Amino acid sequence: LKIDSGKPILSANDQRAMANRARLRELGLTAVNVLASPGAGKTSVIKRLLEALRARCALGVIEGDVAGRIDADAILAMGIPATQINTDGGCHLDAAMIEQALGQLAIRGPGLVFIENIGNLICPTGFALGESMRLVIASVPEGHDKPLKYPGVFQTADAVVLNKLDLIEHVDFDLDFFTRGVRAVNPAAPIYHACARTGKGFDELVAMLARHAGI
Amino acid sequence: VHEASIATALLQAVLKELPPKAVRVERIELRIGVLAGIERRCLAECFAEIARGTKVQGAVLDCRPAMAQLTCRQCGAVVEFDGIQRIEPVCRQCGGPNRLSGGSEMTLQNMEVQVED
């Protein structure tokens, strides 16, 4: 007997992600899925965004890491609600983990929840979490070829941040090549040039996020 | 290496579609986009392990690739992209900017199931 399906393999996760999105909307919250390789500066970018937005709305962070709670502790030290997910070796977050983390986070909107995914440019791509925006962070020391080498993740980005721009004089990074690479895989996503260390270049990104979250 | 998660999700999806009188699943056809980041052999190995002891044990995984496309935003020329060759950001015909689309799907297409009479 032949049975036709045609359903996405990850449809159970997709459904859970939709339920998360509905719950977030009820709470007046907008979730941003932050994706990047390890060391691109995900936590540093998030911390800059929290500083810029904390006076304007409710904020919370869900930190995903294979091990430890270094990142969640850093956010909590800022006085902002955070919860840590440890995947115990897992290379991505999924919607079920976010469902649980949302229960622990206990914040109400209007506001934003940043979900820092596991540092990885491949595995998290196919797993919807309930986010309404995907922010992909690339950093200058990684090299200008990353969008063309990891097209899948850049293809799904709603916005791209190029971080560590202060290092551009010290490494061979071709900004034009990077920009053309992002454009080839994703013509629509805005690219923000930023430096989380100095805080340079965050105004436009903050304004875009505030607009997106309606705050 | 997220193939173990994909294999687990696949087994759940297959079991959900099985009619009650199913005895054994013989073959499963999947469509895996070339940009989905799936290592097919790894997926097959994970799946064989995870399906052990279920009606799906021993089923053959038939993974068909789904190509991505590069479309020129200027002249509309379309080139298939297999996920391996170098992405050409620029159209070969006219030099216009290419746009990448498709290739991220992971779909359970159909399955061959042995049923009791």
Side-chain angles (χ1 to χ4, degrees):
Chain A
L1 177 70
K2 189 175 172 189
I3 299 173
D4 285 318
S5 167
K7 284 199 187 122
I9 294 173
L10 292 177
S11 58
N13 184 73
D14 291 344
Q15 275 164 22
R16 262 184 227 117
M18 268 165 67
N20 287 345
R21 196 170 295 128
R23 184 160 159 210
L24 284 157
R25 199 179 308 121
E26 270 172 36
L27 292 166
L29 296 168
T30 300
V32 180
N33 188 356
V34 182
L35 299 139
S37 60
K42 290 183 292 301
T43 313
S44 305
V45 167
I46 289 171
K47 283 166 79 176
R48 284 284 176 192
L49 294 172
L50 295 172
E51 280 303 347
L53 289 161
R54 65 187 305 168
R56 297 167 68 168
C57 66
L59 294 167
V61 182
I62 297 171
E63 286 289 349
D65 279 296
V66 168
R69 41 177 305 115
I70 293 174
D71 287 350
D73 286 344
I75 306 296
L76 287 169
M78 296 174 70
I80 286 172
T83 182
Q84 180 79 49
I85 297 170
N86 285 137
T87 57
D88 193 19
C91 49
H92 60 273
L93 299 179
D94 65 30
M97 296 174 190
I98 300 308
E99 184 185 344
Q100 204 179 357
L102 280 176
Q104 292 161 5
L105 203 56
I107 61 166
R108 286 197 150 271
L112 279 153
V113 175
F114 293 97
I115 304 170
E116 181 175 341
N117 219 311
I118 307 297
N120 183 322
L121 290 176
I122 304 167
C123 306
T125 308
F127 292 84
L129 304 178
E131 73 270 30
S132 65
M133 173 176 284
R134 279 193 175 198
L135 195 64
V136 174
I137 303 175
S139 68
V140 165
E142 291 168 64
H144 50 248
D145 52 5
K146 289 301 162 288
L148 294 183
K149 287 175 113 173
Y150 298 88
V153 70
F154 284 92
Q155 197 181 21
T156 67
D158 295 300
V160 174
V161 176
L162 179 60
N163 190 30
K164 309 192 189 182
L165 211 71
D166 55 335
L167 296 178
I168 204 155
E169 294 148 33
H170 308 288
V171 292
D172 294 326
F173 187 92
D174 183 339
L175 187 56
D176 194 47
F177 188 99
F178 176 82
T179 308
R180 275 187 287 130
V182 174
R183 284 291 156 259
V185 303
N186 187 333
I191 305 169
Y192 298 92
H193 295 169
C195 174
R197 195 174 66 86
T198 60
K200 242 185 178 168
F202 274 79
D203 294 351
E204 277 179 57
L205 180 59
V206 168
M208 182 275 288
L209 284 169
R211 247 191 340 266
H212 177 72
I215 48 165
Chain B
V1 248
H2 56 317
E3 281 79 358
S5 308
I6 305 287
T8 308
L10 175 60
L11 179 63
Q12 285 167 356
V14 168
L15 291 173
K16 216 171 141 186
E17 302 267 311
L18 280 189
K21 55 181 180 159
V23 181
R24 201 170 87 75
V25 178
E26 287 172 340
R27 204 184 125 273
I28 300 167
E29 187 184 317
L30 307 176
R31 219 172 121 80
I32 304 285
V34 294
L35 298 177
I38 299 287
E39 219 264 277
R40 285 199 254 170
R41 207 181 55 188
C42 178
L43 178 65
E45 281 170 11
C46 289
F47 189 72
E49 202 51 50
I50 285 164
R52 207 173 281 239
T54 73
K55 289 176 179 174
V56 193
Q57 179 170 340
V60 174
L61 269 197
D62 179 5
C63 292
R64 309 265 172 103
M67 295 292 155
Q69 292 82 37
L70 285 163
T71 309
C72 174
R73 287 195 278 157
Q74 201 163 275
C75 75
V78 180
V79 183
E80 237 177 32
F81 176 61
D82 64 3
I84 298 163
Q85 76 210 54
R86 194 190 147 99
I87 292 180
E88 301 291 346
V90 171
C91 173
R92 274 194 196 168
Q93 313 252 348
C94 76
N98 272 335
R99 158 199 281 175
L100 181 71
S101 62
S104 61
E105 55 268 67
M106 288 186 264
T107 324
L108 168 61
Q109 291 294 102
N110 57 62
M111 45 204 193
E112 294 279 357
V113 181
Q114 218 180 72
V115 291
E116 60 191 36
D117 299 322

